Amino acid sequence: ERGYCIRDQIRADPCPNFPFPARVSMSEFIISQEVMSMCHLGWAEANHDNSGVCEFLDLPEGFKAMGKPCSKEEVEVILEAAGFHQHSVVKGPMYLDFDDFVGLTLEMLKLKSVQAEKDEESLGAFVTLGGKDDGDGQILAEELRAFVTRFELSIDINALIRTIDTDGSGALELQEFRAMLSEHPHVAMLQNAAKHQQGP
């Protein structure tokens, strides 16, 4: 069985909690030529059989073809942001047409933009705490402890270091520092304090 196209399903059974496909229309968006070129490039890969539709499983390859590779987890976040998660349990394959793909690409670009902003902020905090501008170098555990004490932050930094510093080096590289920020949201106060120290 071929399955169904999301847009056809929505027309037959509109759902207020499934807003994106129900309202998406190319005329509703002002999309740059650059983004549309990316969409056509990604669509050529996702719609590899030229059937005019693709499946959810084809999205990673489509995004990769645009130069915007996404992990499985990122694709799930994109689908949920667009409202597709409510239909992910329907039996049989689900198909997306080009308009759906364009809308999901916009969600993907939004996600990538947010991630880039977070990466820039975390890099700034990393540099403030002893790392290098290019992301190289390390933050010494002692520097982290001193920083937390200086700003009187209510963080059990020793426990966090034990959790993140898995190689026992006594220092955190950029990826370890970012893991600490993402896995322990309350540590955002550490990043905010570092940002404050950087100044405007």
Side-chain angles (χ1 to χ4, degrees):
E1 185 177 338
R2 177 182 177 280
Y4 64 88
C5 180
I6 287 292
R7 195 175 304 284
D8 294 337
Q9 173 67 13
I10 292 302
R11 277 196 289 262
D13 182 23
C15 172
N17 294 321
F18 189 24
F20 174 78
R23 63 176 171 79
V24 68
S25 168
M26 296 301 293
S27 63
E28 292 181 25
F29 297 98
I30 300 175
I31 304 175
S32 70
Q33 185 60 47
E34 180 184 2
V35 171
M36 282 306 300
S37 296
M38 289 174 56
C39 289
H40 283 292
L41 186 64
W43 181 247
E45 184 65 32
N47 177 38
H48 49 81
D49 59 358
N50 294 317
S51 63
V53 293
C54 74
E55 295 186 50
F56 287 153
L57 295 177
D58 298 319
L59 290 174
E61 289 303 315
F63 293 153
K64 183 178 180 181
M66 299 179 187
K68 303 287 185 180
C70 294
S71 66
K72 178 182 177 182
E73 291 73 22
E74 287 175 325
V75 171
E76 289 176 353
V77 170
I78 293 166
L79 290 170
E80 183 167 357
F84 285 108
H85 64 291
Q86 296 215 354
H87 285 247
S88 62
V89 296
V90 178
K91 292 182 179 179
M94 292 186 289
Y95 293 86
L96 308 168
D97 63 18
F98 181 66
D99 278 5
D100 294 325
F101 185 77
V102 171
L104 288 170
T105 296
L106 296 178
E107 290 290 352
M108 178 270 290
L109 293 175
K110 186 190 304 181
L111 173 67
K112 291 294 186 182
S113 176
V114 171
Q115 288 176 334
E117 184 177 346
K118 288 182 178 179
D119 286 348
E120 183 178 352
E121 290 180 353
S122 62
L123 176 60
F126 180 75
V127 171
T128 298
L129 294 167
K132 297 182 179 180
D133 289 331
D134 61 0
D136 201 0
Q138 298 175 318
I139 300 174
L140 296 178
E142 287 305 317
E143 178 62 26
L144 270 179
R145 294 187 183 94
F147 189 85
V148 168
T149 300
R150 187 185 318 142
F151 282 86
E152 300 180 344
L153 304 178
S154 56
I155 300 174
D156 188 347
I157 194 62
N158 291 320
L160 287 176
I161 292 173
R162 285 194 299 270
T163 300
I164 301 299
D165 183 24
T166 54
D167 58 7
S169 64
L172 299 181
E173 297 179 352
L174 178 58
Q175 292 308 314
E176 291 177 317
F177 181 64
R178 283 176 171 164
M180 183 173 71
L181 294 175
S182 63
E183 294 176 17
H184 304 279
H186 63 284
V187 182
M189 64 179 72
L190 176 65
Q191 181 169 308
N192 292 336
K195 186 175 180 180
H196 175 74
Q197 179 166 298
Q198 286 178 293

